[in-house]
Amino acid sequence: MHNILLIGAGKSTSSLIDYFKRKAEVENLHVTIIDRNLDLARKIVGNNERFELKNIDIFDEQLRYDAIKNCDIVISMLPARFHLPVAKDALALGKHMITASYISKELKDLEPEIKQKGLVFMNEIGLDPGIDHMSAMRVIDHIKNSGAQMILFESFTGGLVAPESDDNLWHYKFTWNPRNVVVAGQGGVAQFLHAGQYKYIPYHKLFRRTEFLEIDGYGRFEGYPNRDSLKYQSIYGLEEATTMYRGTMRRVGFSRAWNVFVQLGMTDDTYTIEASENMTKRDFVNAFLPFSPTDSVELKLRQYLKIDQDDELWLKLEELDLFDGETRIGIKNATPAQMLQKILEDKWTLKPDDKDMIVMYHKFGYKMNGEHKQIDSQLVVKGDDQIYTAMAKTVGLPVAIATIKILKGEIKTPGVHLPITSEVYTPILKELKEYGVVFNENEVPFQCYNPNAVAG
Amino acid sequence: MHNILLIGAGKSTSSLIDYFKRKAEVENLHVTIIDRNLDLARKIVGNNERFELKNIDIFDEQLRYDAIKNCDIVISMLPARFHLPVAKDALALGKHMITASYISKELKDLEPEIKQKGLVFMNEIGLDPGIDHMSAMRVIDHIKNSGAQMILFESFTGGLVAPESDDNLWHYKFTWNPRNVVVAGQGGVAQFLHAGQYKYIPYHKLFRRTEFLEIDGYGRFEGYPNRDSLKYQSIYGLEEATTMYRGTMRRVGFSRAWNVFVQLGMTDDTYTIEASENMTKRDFVNAFLPFSPTDSVELKLRQYLKIDQDDELWLKLEELDLFDGETRIGIKNATPAQMLQKILEDKWTLKPDDKDMIVMYHKFGYKMNGEHKQIDSQLVVKGDDQIYTAMAKTVGLPVAIATIKILKGEIKTPGVHLPITSEVYTPILKELKEYGVVFNENEVPFQCYNPNAVAG
């Protein structure tokens, strides 16, 4: 019998739990799930003796330790900053561990001991990071093994609303932690490498440096750069590449309108606004505009950001009732980012029948026999419903598959890993296909730059 | 005999030292000056037995302690972060102390003990902070004492080049630490109160929210808000005021052109640029622009920031040779701010015969007998030459005058102070007049807002 411990049973674990349920008999699993809120897990598992659901405070270190003692492998779906104490317990007790989060320096420091004990600590094995690593490395290894030289790598991921549920002008709904969406891109300059040149974009220009991307059958999207584009150059073995770019995807027009919030200062999470609890949306907008005894908030905003009266982005702002002077937003001691989040949550929450959609787009440029070539790889995954969302599937399934493969010794190299070796990505990508995670790969003409880049 | 210890003899201490030299006999002074570089002090003092110049590392705590032991009052002209250890020594040894820097929380925490020992620790008594506090409080107290109610306070200060030495399109030269000029406005949102409304301006919009100010005989200037406008509302006793605004003055057009640097990301001091030592100015500009296999840096910049080809601000950029692709800037592991500083220092350094100029502008709005009234107060001080600059005079003279008044017991209220009480500002402002620090005060029609504000 394989004993699995799942710490945390939030929204993104539905497909993960469902996978274990379907594999429980054939793989002889016993799954313990701990969390304060077990509603979702109970709904999925139903009456099943192979599952044990324990109402435990997952931030209680002693209770957590006791739970880890009785398992063979720990899956931590805690917020990233709580992984380290779990990892230390798992190491002390000699258990494998899996997370969908980025590898921290502190975790990497434990690697010698983890290796010594023959344990596998697999991380970054959700969607992004996760499926992006695996699908990219499969192609990169293929290109390199064919004797070619990688010269360009670009990768974009987006969590969006499916076209059939897309009913707002932003073509966006929250399928992920709204706070992360509001503060996305903050905390440092965006750096990347383009045709051998290092490029730097400050936060306030991020949403004006988009480029267009076409996904077959889904039309046009836009991408803006992440902060960490250079980090994976050495991890992916792309030291020779002269273009390295990782970005986030949105529907066309989102970034240009989002830039209004950035320019006003509404995404700032570092200070609180005076008397925020009394503010209407109109007051909130006005706090970022010059005082005038006569001019309207609307006119001041148009003039300040040079928005034409018939600009389509104005309709996006109106759709959010941004100039409503009646209703209070109603949060005390709020930062601008918290106020904005509340405004957006009222409009961008998925309805019961809405479906979400994940899109991913990789570009691989390489040189073979003196010729420049390019492969584009595209993925679209749609959610089934509000429980089995595309986000839950793409985050949870790789974690679930990896769990079984580690338990069965099919993934066995000890250490602190992310899924970039064939031992890991080949079997997992193969099985993911059964769940509709299928990349569409095509040879296209090489482009050392994107002619559809939109600047300014 | 009064024993004065001056720690630090940099550029801004010339008028301070000169004042003591002129008062040495009549006030019976003995002045010890310590610093590693005593060239300036020696040049001013000459052969004078009332002065002792000691070549001491002013960051050596033991040597500093020994020096403090032998004086009656310490003047610390160290960088602000070094005041606290000096203050602790002065307190332990029972000496008065003076700085031209903002009062830190840590210094304020020492106040009970400082009061107990009957010591005066006077701070913020240079130009800004300093002369601004004194000149503002004199008028505020006058207005309040006449039974009126203060409703508006705005205050602007600028360190600029005098018109007769103004020979560049930016109408600006460095008269102050260049680094502080490059990073000015960073580190937090600018907050102020305008006609009862709290207003917030993010850094990337700061230089587009200027307003015009006319100074009699000197034409038009522009002002942009400081970060700390609200801080002095309680200190000045202006709780009832509905407008509180403190800002920085430049010549018209400076901010609009400076905004190009801000928008590009050139003022960022938080990360270093790859291979910065090899970069020309042109490379530096290009690092913030999209890659193109064909378009020029000039065209990309114009398109990115929407600058017309005949826009006068383009000439300002050209004047800095910003598109020079030949000469390397030549700094290793440099932040963008360090690169920009080097570019500007090559162009904006005062020439031997250049004169600098300080401008200050206060607006006081008040209500008397149901009527709205306003007093505007303006100051212009020009430097004599490169040694007795306007900056050195306005920073050093208030410090020097306060030193003598504390030694003579004319300023005697113990505690950690800034110069906001009549005991301090009345005698000091009176004496400053002899040195040309004269405010021009006029009643003007009341304006609850500035019709010359320029937004967007």
Side-chain angles (χ1 to χ4, degrees):
Chain A
M1 179 118 79
H2 296 305
N3 283 298
I4 297 169
L5 172 65
L6 171 60
I7 304 179
K11 267 182 72 171
S12 63
T13 58
S14 56
S15 297
L16 171 62
I17 295 170
D18 184 64
Y19 181 91
F20 289 147
K21 184 184 166 197
R22 275 179 291 111
K23 299 284 181 179
E25 289 302 325
V26 62
E27 302 289 2
N28 195 14
L29 306 180
H30 182 263
V31 183
T32 307
I33 303 176
I34 60 172
D35 204 340
R36 265 281 180 246
N37 186 338
L38 293 161
D39 295 348
L40 178 74
R42 199 162 282 133
K43 196 165 161 185
I44 295 165
V45 169
N47 217 337
N48 191 320
E49 60 184 7
R50 289 189 169 271
F51 282 79
E52 202 174 332
L53 274 53
K54 288 189 183 166
N55 192 314
I56 278 179
D57 179 2
I58 53 179
F59 300 104
D60 182 316
E61 297 205 11
Q62 184 58 49
L63 292 175
R64 227 166 44 195
Y65 182 86
D66 292 341
I68 295 169
K69 224 179 343 191
N70 298 315
C71 75
D72 303 312
I73 189 164
V74 190
I75 303 166
S76 174
M77 296 300 277
L78 290 164
R81 65 185 180 285
F82 295 103
H83 291 323
L84 193 66
V86 175
K88 284 180 176 167
D89 289 349
L91 174 57
L93 293 163
K95 315 295 185 184
H96 301 296
M97 178 165 169
I98 304 197
T99 82
S101 306
Y102 289 101
I103 296 174
S104 66
K105 201 204 154 295
E106 292 74 19
L107 181 62
K108 195 70 187 169
D109 288 345
L110 300 177
E111 187 162 38
E113 229 182 312
I114 288 167
K115 277 187 171 168
Q116 207 176 9
K117 290 202 173 182
L119 299 173
V120 180
F121 276 44
M122 183 62 67
N123 307 275
E124 308 194 20
I125 193 158
L127 167 64
D128 169 16
I131 291 176
D132 59 343
H133 292 331
M134 295 189 281
S135 53
M137 284 310 297
R138 195 173 61 82
V139 178
I140 291 169
D141 283 347
H142 173 76
I143 289 170
K144 285 176 148 187
N145 291 339
S146 71
Q149 181 197 343
M150 281 289 300
I151 51 181
L152 174 150
F153 175 69
E154 295 188 25
S155 176
F156 301 84
T157 305
L160 302 166
V161 62
E164 55 266 44
S165 306
D166 178 356
D167 55 12
N168 71 45
L169 294 171
W170 296 73
H171 310 301
Y172 189 80
K173 298 189 184 185
F174 289 123
T175 62
W176 191 233
N177 185 344
R179 187 176 178 282
N180 291 350
V181 176
V182 172
V183 303
Q186 294 183 23
V189 75
Q191 308 187 22
F192 56 93
L193 188 57
H194 203 155
Q197 296 177 359
Y198 287 93
K199 297 291 184 183
Y200 304 89
I201 307 180
Y203 173 66
H204 63 265
K205 275 290 177 188
L206 202 55
F207 298 94
R208 302 311 296 128
R209 288 283 286 273
T210 52
E211 54 179 272
F212 290 148
L213 298 156
E214 310 277 345
I215 292 203
D216 295 347
Y218 289 85
R220 190 171 265 196
F221 295 77
E222 64 190 17
Y224 64 84
N226 296 348
R227 282 176 53 201
D228 64 350
S229 289
L230 302 176
K231 186 176 156 192
Y232 289 93
Q233 190 161 23
S234 58
I235 293 172
Y236 286 6
L238 295 176
E239 288 85 351
E240 288 180 308
T242 52
T243 295
M244 279 294 300
Y245 184 111
R246 283 163 49 98
T248 298
M249 278 170 94
R250 295 285 182 259
R251 278 292 185 178
V252 172
F254 178 94
S255 300
R256 185 164 171 273
W258 186 265
N259 184 54
V260 171
F261 302 146
V262 174
Q263 292 309 311
L264 287 174
M266 284 182 173
T267 61
D268 196 324
D269 202 35
T270 64
Y271 69 93
T272 57
I273 287 189
E274 289 285 331
S276 61
E277 68 274 21
N278 297 326
M279 275 187 165
T280 64
K281 294 183 193 180
R282 191 178 188 83
D283 295 332
F284 180 55
V285 177
N286 199 23
F288 303 102
L289 295 173
F291 171 81
S292 163
T294 52
D295 299 331
S296 68
V297 171
E298 286 87 345
L299 190 62
K300 289 192 295 184
L301 175 56
R302 281 182 172 143
Q303 193 271 335
Y304 188 39
L305 299 186
K306 305 200 195 313
I307 304 171
D308 286 330
Q309 88 289 348
D310 55 356
D311 192 317
E312 177 272 350
L313 83 73
W314 194 262
L315 303 178
K316 290 197 176 71
L317 303 181
E318 285 186 337
E319 191 183 63
L320 297 172
D321 299 331
L322 208 59
F323 306 104
D324 172 5
E326 299 298 321
T327 332
R328 288 183 183 180
I329 303 171
I331 323 177
K332 227 176 160 168
N333 297 322
T335 66
Q338 287 165 345
M339 304 277 272
L340 178 60
Q341 181 180 330
K342 179 70 172 59
I343 292 171
L344 299 178
E345 278 174 337
D346 289 348
K347 298 284 179 181
W348 290 356
T349 298
L350 289 169
K351 284 182 233 152
D353 293 330
D354 278 350
K355 291 180 182 178
D356 69 330
M357 177 173 76
I358 298 293
V359 285
M360 194 177 284
Y361 194 141
H362 300 305
K363 301 182 184 189
F364 308 90
Y366 57 101
K367 213 165 148 182
M368 184 143 74
N369 305 326
E371 234 183 305
H372 286 80
K373 300 194 161 213
Q374 185 168 323
I375 292 172
D376 279 11
S377 171
Q378 303 182 335
L379 169 72
V380 177
V381 179
K382 285 195 204 170
D384 302 334
D385 51 41
Q386 278 268 51
I387 292 178
Y388 299 105
T389 61
M391 190 62 83
K393 287 199 272 186
T394 52
V395 171
L397 289 173
V399 171
I401 297 168
T403 303
I404 305 298
K405 303 236 175 267
I406 292 169
L407 284 171
K408 293 170 79 175
E410 293 171 23
I411 293 173
K412 57 176 188 277
T413 309
V416 175
H417 297 304
L418 67 169
I420 50 172
T421 61
S422 175
E423 177 194 61
V424 182
Y425 68 65
T426 300
I428 294 180
L429 287 174
K430 189 170 168 232
E431 191 169 339
L432 278 174
K433 277 191 181 174
E434 297 171 24
Y435 298 88
V437 180
V438 183
F439 280 84
N440 179 16
E441 287 162 17
N442 287 297
E443 275 210 35
V444 300
F446 176 78
Q447 287 166 347
C448 88
Y449 70 103
N450 185 337
N452 294 321
V454 186
Chain B
M1 178 120 78
H2 298 305
N3 283 297
I4 298 169
L5 172 66
L6 171 61
I7 304 178
K11 266 183 73 173
S12 63
T13 58
S14 56
S15 297
L16 171 63
I17 295 169
D18 183 63
Y19 181 91
F20 290 146
K21 184 184 166 196
R22 274 178 292 110
K23 300 283 179 180
E25 288 301 326
V26 63
E27 301 289 1
N28 196 15
L29 307 179
H30 182 264
V31 183
T32 307
I33 304 176
I34 60 173
D35 203 340
R36 264 281 180 249
N37 185 338
L38 292 161
D39 295 348
L40 177 74
R42 199 162 282 132
K43 197 166 159 185
I44 295 166
V45 170
N47 216 336
N48 192 319
E49 60 185 7
R50 288 187 169 273
F51 282 79
E52 203 174 332
L53 275 53
K54 288 187 184 168
N55 192 313
I56 279 180
D57 177 3
I58 53 180
F59 300 104
D60 181 316
E61 297 206 9
Q62 185 57 49
L63 293 175
R64 226 165 45 193
Y65 183 87
D66 292 342
I68 296 169
K69 221 175 353 188
N70 298 314
C71 75
D72 303 310
I73 189 163
V74 191
I75 303 166
S76 174
M77 296 300 277
L78 290 163
R81 64 186 182 283
F82 295 103
H83 291 324
L84 192 66
V86 174
K88 285 178 176 168
D89 289 348
L91 173 56
L93 294 163
K95 315 296 186 182
H96 302 295
M97 179 166 166
I98 304 196
T99 82
S101 305
Y102 288 102
I103 296 174
S104 67
K105 201 203 153 297
E106 292 73 21
L107 181 61
K108 194 71 186 171
D109 289 345
L110 299 177
E111 186 162 39
E113 227 182 314
I114 288 166
K115 277 185 170 165
Q116 206 175 10
K117 290 201 172 182
L119 299 173
V120 180
F121 276 43
M122 183 62 67
N123 307 275
E124 307 194 19
I125 193 157
L127 167 65
D128 169 15
I131 290 175
D132 58 346
H133 292 329
M134 295 190 281
S135 53
M137 285 309 299
R138 195 173 61 83
V139 178
I140 291 169
D141 283 347
H142 172 77
I143 290 170
K144 285 175 148 188
N145 291 339
S146 72
Q149 181 197 343
M150 280 290 300
I151 51 180
L152 173 150
F153 176 68
E154 297 188 25
S155 177
F156 301 84
T157 306
L160 301 166
V161 62
E164 54 266 45
S165 307
D166 178 356
D167 55 12
N168 72 47
L169 294 171
W170 296 73
H171 309 300
Y172 190 80
K173 298 189 184 185
F174 290 122
T175 62
W176 192 235
N177 185 344
R179 187 176 177 283
N180 291 349
V181 175
V182 172
V183 302
Q186 294 183 24
V189 74
Q191 309 188 23
F192 57 92
L193 187 57
H194 203 156
Q197 297 175 0
Y198 288 94
K199 297 290 183 184
Y200 304 89
I201 307 181
Y203 173 66
H204 62 265
K205 275 290 178 190
L206 202 54
F207 298 93
R208 303 310 298 128
R209 287 282 286 272
T210 51
E211 55 178 271
F212 291 147
L213 299 155
E214 309 277 343
I215 293 204
D216 295 346
Y218 290 86
R220 189 170 265 196
F221 295 77
E222 64 191 16
Y224 64 84
N226 296 349
R227 283 177 51 201
D228 63 350
S229 288
L230 303 175
K231 185 176 156 192
Y232 290 93
Q233 190 162 21
S234 58
I235 293 171
Y236 285 7
L238 294 176
E239 286 85 351
E240 289 181 306
T242 53
T243 296
M244 280 293 301
Y245 184 112
R246 284 162 47 98
T248 298
M249 281 170 92
R250 295 284 182 258
R251 278 294 187 176
V252 172
F254 178 95
S255 299
R256 185 164 171 273
W258 185 265
N259 184 53
V260 171
F261 302 146
V262 174
Q263 293 309 311
L264 288 174
M266 284 183 174
T267 61
D268 196 324
D269 203 35
T270 65
Y271 69 93
T272 56
I273 288 189
E274 288 283 331
S276 61
E277 68 274 22
N278 297 326
M279 276 187 163
T280 63
K281 295 183 192 180
R282 191 177 188 85
D283 295 332
F284 180 54
V285 177
N286 199 23
F288 302 102
L289 295 173
F291 171 79
S292 162
T294 52
D295 299 330
S296 67
V297 170
E298 287 87 344
L299 190 64
K300 290 192 295 183
L301 175 57
R302 281 181 173 144
Q303 194 272 336
Y304 188 40
L305 298 185
K306 305 201 194 310
I307 304 170
D308 286 330
Q309 87 289 348
D310 54 356
D311 192 319
E312 177 271 351
L313 83 71
W314 194 261
L315 303 178
K316 289 196 178 70
L317 303 180
E318 285 187 337
E319 191 183 64
L320 297 172
D321 300 332
L322 207 59
F323 306 104
D324 173 4
E326 299 297 320
T327 331
R328 290 183 181 178
I329 302 171
I331 323 177
K332 229 179 158 165
N333 296 321
T335 67
Q338 287 166 344
M339 303 277 273
L340 178 59
Q341 181 180 330
K342 179 69 171 59
I343 291 171
L344 299 178
E345 278 174 336
D346 289 348
K347 298 285 179 180
W348 290 356
T349 298
L350 290 168
K351 284 181 235 154
D353 292 331
D354 278 349
K355 290 180 182 179
D356 69 330
M357 177 173 77
I358 298 294
V359 286
M360 193 177 283
Y361 194 140
H362 301 305
K363 300 181 185 189
F364 308 90
Y366 57 101
K367 213 166 149 180
M368 185 144 72
N369 306 325
E371 233 183 304
H372 286 80
K373 300 194 161 213
Q374 184 168 324
I375 293 171
D376 280 11
S377 171
Q378 303 182 333
L379 169 72
V380 177
V381 180
K382 285 195 204 171
D384 302 332
D385 51 41
Q386 278 269 48
I387 292 179
Y388 299 105
T389 62
M391 190 61 84
K393 286 198 274 187
T394 53
V395 171
L397 288 173
V399 170
I401 296 167
T403 303
I404 305 296
K405 303 238 176 265
I406 292 169
L407 284 171
K408 292 169 80 175
E410 292 170 25
I411 294 173
K412 57 175 187 279
T413 310
V416 175
H417 298 302
L418 66 170
I420 51 170
T421 60
S422 176
E423 177 194 61
V424 183
Y425 68 65
T426 301
I428 294 179
L429 287 174
K430 186 167 171 236
E431 192 169 339
L432 278 174
K433 277 192 182 175
E434 297 170 25
Y435 298 90
V437 180
V438 183
F439 280 83
N440 179 16
E441 287 161 16
N442 287 297
E443 276 210 33
V444 299
F446 175 78
Q447 287 166 346
C448 87
Y449 70 103
N450 185 338
N452 294 321
V454 186

